């Protein structure tokens, strides 16, 4: 069978799926590409949803991966509002909602994840939202009038970005986090403390080490009352649950593919079935830098792994081992993280952590393995080079502001 007669099916039309489709054409694949998405929207990027789109500063169409004419030029069989219901691996067929069946030579699963819901009494009441897609952003944005009170459940990145966006719109905002510090799973205590100071200084109330036990309608029929596990109550009008992501791996599990909280793939993005690949938020891969399997929920990984999966599907040499990179914008502060910080790493601070511009380096055996900080893009670019090169550095020089990073 010639390449022009082959069919590659992509399930999931988010950033990973959109980049997979674009890469297939960019690498010269002339066969049939079927792109299946359960949303009405063409592939788009998610980071603006909690920031500029939610703030009303950017239109939804600005999030698109490709301009309409560029997407049309890809000549894909685009199927919006369609879900994949079953994979028949022996027949190499994908069953779709509505009863249609499509055959594939290679199948790329970019099914992403869904927002985790609180699972507490009252969580289905009007005024309680999650934020995962464009429609979520539109619904939440419509509810966020300046005179409203917002309760954010979860002090992770989504929750904090929404808190920052809504405070700038003038809303009264409270963040409730069950763990002892903000973003505890992803950043060291110093950065958690910085984030807390940043939000408190901008008027956000932060409640740590407690959770929401239940939500109820206000006594007068308006607003909501949140009861904390310690018995206190908080009055609010809108609730955002930002408590994590559940990988959409059900389709793969039901097909018998290896899954561990996501679809397990090798460095070539192949699942336990070599004809089925996975990329983006749903993919679980062994990160050599972290020394463990992980899912990486980031803009960077969705794009790069989508590209890698497409190339792998074409038989090209692929070894997906990116340097993890994450960024967040809050109150005009840009915080970036390179690498995987760990508690056992030696920490070196460059700059004043009480300011809004500094870098924390993480060293292992004298080598920089991770770095993070706010408003330090230039220093972090040099830090990235140090991490990628695996070069030994002097901790004293790293901390010395009189020594330019470029000299290291």
């Amino acid at each position: 069978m010639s390449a022009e007669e082959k069919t590659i099916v992509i399930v999931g039309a988010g950033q990973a799926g959109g980049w997979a489709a674009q890469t297939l054409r960019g690498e010269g694949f002339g066969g049939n590409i079927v792109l299946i998405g359960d949303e009405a929207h063409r592939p788009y990027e998610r980071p603006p949803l909690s920031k500029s789109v939610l703030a009303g500063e950017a239109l939804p169409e600005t999030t698109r991966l490709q301009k309409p004419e560029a997407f049309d030029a890809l000549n894909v069989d685009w199927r919006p509002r369609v879900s994949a219901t079953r994979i028949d691996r022996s027949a190499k067929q994908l069953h779709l909602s509505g009863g249609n069946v499509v055959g594939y030579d290679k199948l790329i699963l970019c099914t992403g994840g869904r927002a985790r819901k609180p699972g507490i009494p009252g969580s289905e009441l009007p005024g309680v939202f999650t934020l995962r897609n464009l429609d979520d952003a539109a619904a939440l944005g419509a509810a966020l009038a300046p005179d409203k009170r917002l309760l954010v459940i979860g002090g992770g990145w989504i929750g904090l970005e929404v808190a920052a966006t809504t405070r700038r719109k003038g809303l009264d905002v409270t963040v409730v986090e069950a763990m002892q510090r903000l973003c505890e799973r992803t950043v060291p205590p110093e950065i958690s403390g910085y984030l807390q100071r940043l939000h408190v200084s901008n008027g956000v109330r932060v409640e740590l080490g407690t959770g929401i036990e239940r939500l109820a309608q206000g006594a007068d029929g308006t607003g909501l009352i949140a009861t904390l596990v310690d018995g206190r109550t908080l009055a609010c009008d809108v609730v955002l649950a930002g408590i994590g992501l559940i990988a959409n791996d059900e389709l793969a599990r039901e097909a018998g593919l290896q899954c561990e909280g996501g679809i397990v793939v090798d460095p070539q993005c192949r699942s336990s079935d070599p004809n089925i690949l996975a990329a983006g938020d749903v993919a679980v891969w062994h990160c050599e830098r972290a020394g463990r399997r992980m899912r990486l929920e980031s803009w960077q990984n969705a794009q790069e792994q989508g590209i890698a999966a497409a190339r792998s599907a074409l038989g090209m040499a692929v070894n997906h081992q990116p340097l993890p990179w994450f960024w967040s914008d809050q109150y005009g502060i840009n915080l970036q993280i390179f690498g995987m910080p760990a508690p056992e790493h030696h920490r070196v601070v460059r700059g004043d952590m009480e300011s809004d511009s500094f870098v924390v380096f993480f060293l292992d055996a004298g080598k920089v393995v991770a770095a993070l900080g706010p408003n330090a893009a230039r220093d972090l670019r040099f830090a990235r080079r140090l991490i990628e090169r695996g070069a030994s550095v002097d901790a004293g020089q790293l901390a010395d502001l009189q020594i330019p990073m470029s000299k290291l």
Side-chain angles (χ1 to χ4, degrees):
M1 181 185 298
S2 67
E4 286 70 23
E5 297 174 303
K6 291 185 177 180
T7 296
I8 298 178
V9 178
I10 304 168
V11 181
Q15 185 164 339
W19 272 102
Q22 182 171 311
T23 302
L24 290 172
R25 288 295 187 232
E27 295 293 350
F29 178 67
N32 189 31
I33 300 173
V34 182
L35 181 61
I36 296 165
D38 56 8
E39 296 183 56
H41 312 289
R42 292 181 173 190
Y44 62 90
E45 298 179 333
R46 298 185 190 275
L49 302 188
S50 58
K51 298 181 274 289
S52 57
V53 171
L54 186 63
E57 299 167 352
L59 295 173
E61 52 264 33
T62 62
T63 66
R64 290 174 179 166
L65 284 184
Q66 302 98 359
K67 293 181 178 179
E69 58 271 21
F71 182 81
D72 292 341
L74 295 178
N75 190 29
V76 300
D77 182 355
W78 161 231
R79 305 197 188 185
R81 297 191 182 93
V82 172
S83 300
T85 59
R86 184 169 69 88
I87 302 171
D88 185 339
R89 291 167 55 192
S90 60
K92 297 178 73 172
Q93 291 182 333
L94 184 69
H95 292 250
L96 307 176
S97 56
N100 291 329
V101 178
V102 59
Y104 65 85
D105 293 286
K106 296 288 184 180
L107 175 63
I108 305 177
L109 300 177
C110 303
T111 48
R114 59 193 180 276
R116 190 182 301 274
K117 296 187 176 181
I120 57 175
S123 60
E124 302 302 322
L125 286 169
V128 181
F129 298 88
T130 57
L131 179 56
R132 177 61 184 168
N133 57 41
L134 271 171
D135 295 339
D136 292 341
L140 176 60
L144 295 176
D147 61 341
K148 299 297 184 182
R149 300 159 296 177
L150 173 67
L151 170 62
V152 177
I153 305 176
W157 297 111
I158 286 292
L160 294 183
E161 289 179 352
V162 170
T165 299
T166 51
R167 269 306 292 154
R168 294 178 72 181
K169 291 182 66 174
L171 277 76
D172 179 280
V173 181
T174 300
V175 174
V176 175
E177 168 55 52
M179 302 185 82
Q180 297 302 315
R181 54 187 180 87
L182 299 176
C183 296
E184 184 169 325
R185 294 183 180 88
T186 53
V187 298
E190 298 95 329
I191 299 300
S192 294
Y194 169 77
L195 289 169
Q196 185 172 349
R197 292 193 300 273
L198 178 64
H199 280 268
V200 170
S201 68
N202 280 278
V204 175
R205 289 184 297 277
V206 178
E207 297 281 351
L208 299 174
T210 189
I212 305 298
E213 188 172 83
R214 63 181 179 275
L215 298 166
Q217 201 80 53
D220 59 356
T222 62
L224 296 164
I225 300 296
T227 301
L228 278 63
V229 294
D230 58 15
R232 290 179 295 152
T233 59
L234 295 172
C236 58
D237 301 293
V238 182
V239 174
L240 171 76
I243 53 175
L245 191 74
I246 300 173
N248 291 331
D249 64 358
E250 293 83 359
L251 184 69
R253 281 193 282 110
E254 290 168 5
L257 301 180
Q258 183 183 359
C259 293
E260 295 178 9
I263 305 168
V264 176
V265 297
D266 64 14
Q268 290 75 47
C269 305
R270 298 174 302 196
S271 73
S272 51
D273 182 331
N275 292 311
I276 302 177
L277 304 92
D281 290 351
V282 76
V284 176
W285 50 282
H286 181 82
C287 177
E288 293 178 356
R289 296 179 185 275
R292 59 180 172 86
R293 280 179 177 167
M294 60 184 295
R295 281 192 312 109
L296 193 57
E297 298 171 15
S298 74
W299 174 94
Q300 169 225 18
N301 188 62
Q303 175 174 313
E304 293 186 6
Q305 199 168 28
I307 292 170
R311 289 175 173 165
S312 182
L314 295 176
M316 301 173 66
V318 167
N319 182 26
H320 182 68
Q321 281 293 336
L323 171 63
W325 171 50
F326 174 82
W327 56 268
S328 178
D329 290 326
Q330 302 174 35
Y331 305 108
I333 302 294
N334 175 252
L335 179 74
Q336 297 190 52
I337 304 173
F338 286 101
M340 302 293 295
E344 65 271 18
H345 293 153
H346 175 61
R347 298 175 195 172
V348 176
V349 178
R350 182 181 179 89
D352 180 7
M353 291 194 68
E354 296 299 318
S355 72
D356 284 329
S357 181
F358 60 87
V359 180
V360 182
F361 298 93
F362 298 82
L363 277 64
D364 185 10
K367 298 178 180 179
V368 180
V369 293
L372 57 82
N375 288 351
R378 186 173 185 276
D379 280 354
L380 286 168
R381 282 197 297 272
F382 288 113
R384 178 176 187 168
R385 295 180 191 176
L386 290 172
I387 298 169
E388 291 175 336
R389 293 174 183 174
S392 295
V393 294
D394 180 88
Q397 291 184 335
L398 271 182
D400 190 346
L401 291 174
Q402 301 306 310
I403 300 177
M405 285 290 296
S406 58
K407 300 296 185 183
L408 300 176

